[in-house]
């Protein structure tokens, strides 16, 4: 059984704001019956059309989907549209005292519905991610065909929640959770997004101090390289850093793997790309 | 808490008579059956008795019973044994609706170069035996087909399948974890070579299973080491659990008629009344032969986990084929293989009864479930459209 917090239970047993608003200013719909969850969000604005004075929802989904919808409607009442747009899926989860990681996609669905509602109200293009097979106006490339999720949406969720593994991306967005065909593409997206983040961090210091370089090497190993090895059942450990020389030891499936030489080269290339071009990687027993 | 436990295909209550039977074999009669002293010898006698009791329920001979740790071990042992015993044969046949204990193993074996054919099922969960006839060949080492499906209760025509398998000289294994104790079996008159069963599905404790191995069928042990179980399964016998399983099998034989009359009538009443009270529901596998205790019922426009959580508030325990309960994101592989429409695949609930289920418990479910479904539909945008159109 899921380890739901008391607050989650309270919200799915007694959800707030279920229903509809007949003269709603904004309506956002995401999800579908086939996907297994869907949310329709109704917003009513004040006379100046700035603040949300009422919010209602209808949700098809599990306990945490109902609770996330209920939490979202409570959180946005009284907020301006821009304030509401600032709410992250993590804040929805936090409002509920946390969600099991496998259920984080429920909080993401809440955030999505809100974005769609506000974008439609403002006459903007509907955000490209709306995970709905029926929407034609999607932008971006569909990565997960089963749930109709685009690269733009996945990049955003990966960056916002600092997701490192394809499994986490599945838990947060459902992408890759059905046929699994897009998991390689998801891994590429993670590498790109987290690579960008590491690169941004790298650009700040003009010249790397030794300490900063060591931090960056560790950062890249933790966030960039090890998650990719985990995906194949492998792992590595950082043994030592001596100037530009990085010593690593392979673990699990990588230890004794015939292609560990290639893996070491891959690690070296990543570190050269993301940290410093003079790095050499050496595999040691340890 | 007086729970209403209708999840007996997941696990069952240990019968108190079973518990009493095993109780002395922890702190008092703890001897090792292999030991050369009276203290171990008396335990050996009880293990022998248990083996005879399990054999009697299956219509088998005692030496055809190998005790294992669980149904999964029995399944793994059977399939691995078959492919090791016939190394020149590289084809395995199973079905798309098997338990993961069989399906995951077979899919892993494809990575080792085995050809695996997964037979499909129709909308009612039935196999097409013509498909089996088409795909079985001289390269087929083993055919593994479950006796009864854990999610829908659909029972496969095991003897008809066995006749086809025997004609082509392959081994025939059946995962009968859900069937043993619920429907009568007679291995003496059967085409089955190997059969898996699990204790905790028939009121014995968790952690004990058995593999029926027909006399004369070649066998390669899964666990090697000591001489236990006639060198077919090494490891010191789980004496207390084996004794419990023996007692549970003896009781299952005694209650077999009740299971197929009183329990079946309760299931049928639950099914009939829920279908009458709740619109847009369907029975999964309703037209196929089914176990007497199982009801898989799908409700359109409402999600299964939510139904279970609301039922749980009423201390009613059931199970779901929905994606959200398992941590996976798709409805169960069984419902997908059956092509259950997507409007209700996410809203499937399984009730599985036992001989401990009472009339009053079924009354409670019939009273509590319809408002829960209505409430879930009122929350759901699709359900609201449906309710509005239904008036």
């Amino acid at each position: 059984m899921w380890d739901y917090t008391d607050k989650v239970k309270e919200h799915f047993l007694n959800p707030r704001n279920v229903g509809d608003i007949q003269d709603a200013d904004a309506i956002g719909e995401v999800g579908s019956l086939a996907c297994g969850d869907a949310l329709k969000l109704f917003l009513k604005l004040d006379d100046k059309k700035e603040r949300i004075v009422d919010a209602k929802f209808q949700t098809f989904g599990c306990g945490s989907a109902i609770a996330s919808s209920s939490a979202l409607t409570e959180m946005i009442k009284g907020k301006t549209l821009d304030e509401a747009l600032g709410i992250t899926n993590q804040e929805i989860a936090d409002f509920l005292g946390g969600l099991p990681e496998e259920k984080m996609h429920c909080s993401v669905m809440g955030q999505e519905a809100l974005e769609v509602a506000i974008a439609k109200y403002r006459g903007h293009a509907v955000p490209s991610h709306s995970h709905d097979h029926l929407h034609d106006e999607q932008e971006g490339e569909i990565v997960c065909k089963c749930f109709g999720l685009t690269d733009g949406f996945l990049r955003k969720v990966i960056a916002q929640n600092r997701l490192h593994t394809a499994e986490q991306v599945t838990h947060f967005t459902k992408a890759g959770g059905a046929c699994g065909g897009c998991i390689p593409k998801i891994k590429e997206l993670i590498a790109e997004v987290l690579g960008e983040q590491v690169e941004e961090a790298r650009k700040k210091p003009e010249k790397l101090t030794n300490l900063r370089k060591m931090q960056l090497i560790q950062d890249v190993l933790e966030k960039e390289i090890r998650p990719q090895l985990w995906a194949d059942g492998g792992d590595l450990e950082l043994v030592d850093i001596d100037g530009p020389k990085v010593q690593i030891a392979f673990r699990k499936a990588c230890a004794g793997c015939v292609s560990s030489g290639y893996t070491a080269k891959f690690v070296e290339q990543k570190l050269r790309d993301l940290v410093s071009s003079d790095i050499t990687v050496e595999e040691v027993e340890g | 808490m007086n729970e209403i436990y209708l999840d007996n295909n997941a696990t069952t209550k240990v019968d108190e008579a079973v518990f009493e039977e095993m109780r002395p074999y922890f702190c008092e009669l703890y001897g090792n059956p292999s030991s050369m002293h009276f203290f171990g010898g008396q335990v050996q006698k009880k293990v022998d008795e248990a083996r005879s009791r399990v054999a009697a329920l299956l219509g088998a001979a005692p030496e055809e019973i190998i005790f294992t740790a669980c149904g999964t071990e029995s399944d793994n042992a059977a399939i691995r044994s078959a492919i090791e015993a016939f190394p020149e044969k590289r084809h395995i046949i199973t079905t798309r609706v098997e338990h993961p204990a069989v399906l995951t193993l077979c899919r892993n074996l494809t990575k080792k170069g085995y050809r695996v054919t997964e037979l499909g099922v129709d909308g009612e969960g039935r196999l097409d035996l013509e498909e089996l006839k088409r795909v079985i060949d001289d390269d087929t080492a083993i055919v593994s087909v479950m006796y009864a499906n854990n999610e829908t209760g659909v029972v496969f025509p095991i003897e008809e399948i066995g006749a086809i398998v025997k004609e082509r000289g392959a081994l025939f294994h059946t995962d009968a974890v859900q069937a043993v104790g619920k429907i009568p079996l007679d291995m003496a008159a059967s085409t089955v070579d190997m059969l898996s069963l699990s204790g905790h599905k028939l009121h014995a404790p968790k952690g004990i299973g058995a593999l029926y191995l027909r006399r004369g069928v070649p066998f390669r042990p899964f666990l090697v080491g000591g001489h236990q179980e006639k060198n077919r399964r090494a490891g010191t016998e789980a004496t207390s659990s084996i004794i419990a399983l023996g007692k549970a099998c003896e009781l299952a034989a005694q209650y077999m008629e009740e299971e197929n009359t009183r329990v079946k009538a309760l299931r049928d009443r639950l099914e009939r009344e829920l279908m009458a009270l709740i619109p847009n529901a369907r029975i999964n596998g309703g037209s196929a032969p089914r176990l007497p205790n199982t009801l898989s019922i799908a409700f359109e426009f409402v999600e299964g986990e939510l139904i279970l959580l609301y039922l749980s508030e009423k201390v009613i325990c059931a199970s779901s084929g929905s994606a959200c309960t398992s941590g996976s994101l798709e409805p169960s592989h069984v419902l997908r293989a059956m092509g259950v429409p997507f409007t209700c695949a996410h809203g499937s609930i399984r009730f599985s009864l036992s001989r401990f289920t009472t009339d009053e418990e079924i009354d409670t479910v019939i009273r509590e479930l319809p408002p829960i479904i209505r409430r879930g539909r009122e929350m759901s945008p699709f359900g609201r459209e449906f309710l509005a159109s239904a008036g």
Side-chain angles (χ1 to χ4, degrees):
Chain A
M1 181 150 190
W2 298 114
D3 187 12
Y4 285 136
T5 64
D6 289 343
K7 191 113 187 241
V8 173
K9 284 182 204 159
E10 217 272 303
H11 273 265
F12 69 65
L13 290 175
N14 305 297
R16 290 26 160 204
N17 312 310
V18 178
D20 56 14
I21 299 176
Q22 289 302 329
D23 56 345
D25 291 293
I27 298 176
E29 275 181 272
V30 291
S32 74
L33 262 175
C35 290
D37 50 18
L39 166 54
K40 190 170 183 181
L41 180 69
F42 300 80
L43 304 180
K44 179 76 190 153
L45 304 178
D46 63 6
D47 292 341
K48 291 184 194 160
K49 303 294 176 194
E50 277 172 9
R51 265 179 210 284
I52 298 169
V53 290
D54 196 11
K56 295 249 192 268
F57 78 91
Q58 294 164 21
T59 291
F60 165 73
C62 58
S64 56
I66 303 285
S68 296
S69 309
S70 171
L72 172 74
T73 51
E74 287 290 279
M75 289 167 78
I76 59 177
K77 277 197 224 173
K79 287 204 163 52
T80 66
L81 291 179
D82 285 332
E83 284 166 354
L85 275 179
I87 292 172
T88 64
N89 67 283
Q90 188 60 49
E91 284 167 349
I92 298 173
D94 290 346
F95 180 90
L96 292 166
L99 284 172
E101 185 172 283
E102 292 87 341
K103 295 287 193 176
M104 283 300 287
H105 61 86
C106 297
S107 66
V108 173
M109 183 169 76
Q111 187 197 17
E112 269 183 86
L114 179 63
E115 284 183 17
V116 170
I118 295 177
K120 278 171 81 177
Y121 170 72
R122 288 177 165 172
H124 297 172
V126 171
S128 63
H129 50 71
S130 57
H131 73 212
D132 187 336
H133 297 297
L134 306 173
H135 271 264
D136 301 327
E137 60 252 65
Q138 279 171 341
E139 292 165 10
E141 178 200 349
I142 297 276
V143 175
C144 174
K145 293 193 180 75
C146 300
F147 292 110
L149 303 170
T150 61
D151 59 341
F153 169 61
L154 295 176
R155 278 174 209 277
K156 194 185 103 183
V157 178
I158 291 167
Q160 272 191 357
N161 294 283
R162 299 188 65 75
L163 307 180
H164 304 317
T165 66
E167 195 181 17
Q168 285 180 315
V169 174
T170 303
H171 292 157
F172 277 68
T173 66
K174 302 171 84 166
C179 77
C182 61
I183 287 172
K185 179 70 189 167
I186 292 173
K187 287 182 186 169
E188 282 175 29
L189 287 177
I190 295 170
E192 280 176 39
V193 172
L194 294 184
E196 282 164 18
Q197 289 183 349
V198 173
E199 204 153 6
E200 275 170 25
R202 185 173 70 91
K203 279 175 187 159
K204 282 171 197 159
E206 287 289 306
K207 188 168 179 296
L208 289 177
T209 62
N210 263 343
L211 181 65
R212 184 73 188 123
K213 189 187 276 183
M214 284 163 79
Q215 283 173 337
L216 271 180
I217 289 170
Q218 288 183 34
D219 218 35
V220 170
L221 286 175
E222 288 305 314
K223 292 181 183 147
E224 181 83 1
I225 294 169
R226 290 184 66 203
Q228 291 198 33
L229 300 184
W230 296 338
D232 296 318
D235 203 357
L236 63 72
E237 202 173 293
L238 179 62
V239 177
D240 197 12
I241 304 174
D242 180 11
K245 270 190 275 183
V246 178
Q247 293 189 327
I248 57 169
F250 285 114
R251 299 279 183 252
K252 297 193 193 162
C254 290
C257 169
V258 286
S259 42
S260 66
Y262 293 102
T263 312
K265 277 282 158 214
F266 156 79
V267 174
E268 184 174 276
Q269 197 54 49
K270 275 276 173 206
L271 291 174
R272 284 180 180 183
D273 289 349
L274 298 176
V275 185
S276 173
S277 56
D278 60 349
I279 286 177
T280 57
V281 169
E282 190 187 358
E283 186 191 344
V284 296
E285 302 272 321
Chain B
M1 184 166 53
N2 277 333
E3 77 280 355
I4 297 178
Y5 189 77
L6 298 176
D7 201 9
N8 287 280
N9 287 9
T11 195
T12 59
K13 163 196 168 97
V14 174
D15 192 301
E16 279 166 35
V18 168
F19 186 55
E20 286 311 315
E21 188 91 358
M22 77 189 291
R23 189 202 285 273
Y25 295 87
F26 290 96
C27 303
E28 298 145 48
L29 304 172
Y30 53 83
N32 186 326
S34 300
S35 299
M36 283 300 141
H37 44 61
F38 75 96
F39 196 63
Q42 62 194 8
V43 181
Q44 179 69 54
K45 287 201 179 70
K46 278 299 280 189
V47 169
D48 289 344
E49 181 193 55
R51 198 182 306 280
S52 298
R53 286 170 164 177
V54 175
L57 179 65
L58 302 179
E63 64 270 23
E64 292 177 316
I65 304 300
I66 302 169
F67 290 114
T68 65
C70 53
T72 297
E73 184 194 327
S74 300
D75 289 338
N76 273 254
I79 293 170
R80 287 182 185 279
S81 166
I83 59 176
E84 276 185 46
F86 297 99
E88 71 288 357
K89 296 188 174 188
R90 308 289 288 175
H91 182 219
I92 299 167
I93 298 175
T94 185
T95 77
R96 284 179 63 195
V97 297
E98 291 301 303
H99 189 274
V102 168
L103 212 47
T104 306
L105 171 64
C106 289
R107 288 177 182 171
N108 286 352
L109 287 170
T110 61
K111 293 175 196 151
K112 304 218 157 139
Y114 286 90
R115 219 160 31 94
V116 174
T117 305
E118 294 176 14
L119 303 172
V121 294
D122 68 10
E124 295 295 321
R126 288 174 298 220
L127 287 172
D128 172 9
L129 298 193
E130 293 306 314
E131 186 189 3
L132 172 61
K133 285 181 193 163
R134 276 197 305 278
V135 299
I136 192 167
D137 58 30
D138 296 339
D139 194 34
T140 307
I142 183 168
V143 176
S144 180
V145 173
M146 69 200 325
Y147 214 113
N149 188 271
N150 46 314
E151 292 188 29
T152 59
V154 169
V155 177
F156 285 146
I158 288 300
E159 297 310 328
E160 285 176 56
I161 296 166
I164 298 167
V165 175
K166 291 293 103 185
E167 212 169 280
R168 294 310 290 255
L171 289 182
F172 184 32
H173 166 252
T174 182
D175 174 348
V177 161
Q178 293 295 346
V180 173
K182 293 178 190 144
I183 50 177
L185 303 176
D186 184 13
M187 288 301 105
S190 171
T191 50
V192 169
D193 293 311
M194 293 183 275
L195 173 147
S196 303
L197 69 92
S198 171
H200 76 105
K201 307 289 193 194
L202 63 151
H203 307 289
K206 295 154 188 72
I208 182 72
L211 176 66
Y212 160 82
L213 175 68
R214 179 174 297 282
R215 197 185 286 130
V217 169
F219 188 72
R220 302 287 180 274
F222 185 49
L223 281 186
V224 294
H227 59 274
Q228 293 89 352
E229 301 296 298
K230 297 188 193 301
N231 291 311
R232 295 173 302 185
R233 201 277 190 182
T236 298
E237 299 87 342
T239 51
S240 53
S241 296
I242 287 171
I243 290 160
L245 178 59
K247 185 66 181 175
C249 286
E250 187 187 66
L251 292 174
Q254 288 169 18
Y255 287 108
M256 186 68 73
E257 200 188 326
E258 182 182 343
E259 183 87 21
N260 287 277
T261 51
R262 186 186 70 84
V263 176
K264 180 172 186 296
L266 285 182
R267 189 276 310 267
D268 290 346
R269 181 161 74 86
L270 178 64
E271 174 174 319
R272 203 170 50 241
E273 300 207 16
L274 290 180
M275 288 299 285
L277 289 167
I278 303 174
N280 287 53
R282 74 193 289 278
I283 308 298
N284 297 318
S287 308
R290 276 182 299 158
L291 292 173
N293 79 318
T294 307
L295 168 61
S296 173
I297 181 167
F299 304 103
E300 282 194 303
F301 315 120
V302 55
E303 200 279 326
E305 182 195 297
L306 190 71
I307 303 172
L308 292 185
L309 292 169
Y310 285 167
L311 281 173
S312 186
E313 279 302 297
K314 306 286 180 187
V315 298
I316 298 167
C317 309
S319 166
S320 153
S322 116
C324 284
T325 50
S326 59
S328 114
L329 294 166
E330 285 194 301
S332 88
H333 69 288
V334 175
L335 301 181
R336 276 183 290 136
M338 290 168 69
V340 171
F342 69 85
T343 50
C344 58
H346 291 281
S348 281
I349 300 294
R350 177 188 72 189
F351 295 101
S352 45
L353 288 59
S354 82
R355 62 180 185 248
F356 295 106
T357 307
T358 65
D359 265 310
E360 293 70 33
E361 290 176 326
I362 295 301
D363 290 340
T364 305
V365 177
I366 292 168
R367 190 176 63 244
E368 298 290 353
L369 187 57
I372 287 174
I373 300 298
R374 186 163 181 96
R375 186 172 179 215
R377 284 176 175 168
E378 280 168 357
M379 261 189 247
S380 147
F382 314 112
R384 288 172 79 95
E385 283 169 25
F386 159 71
L387 291 170
S389 66

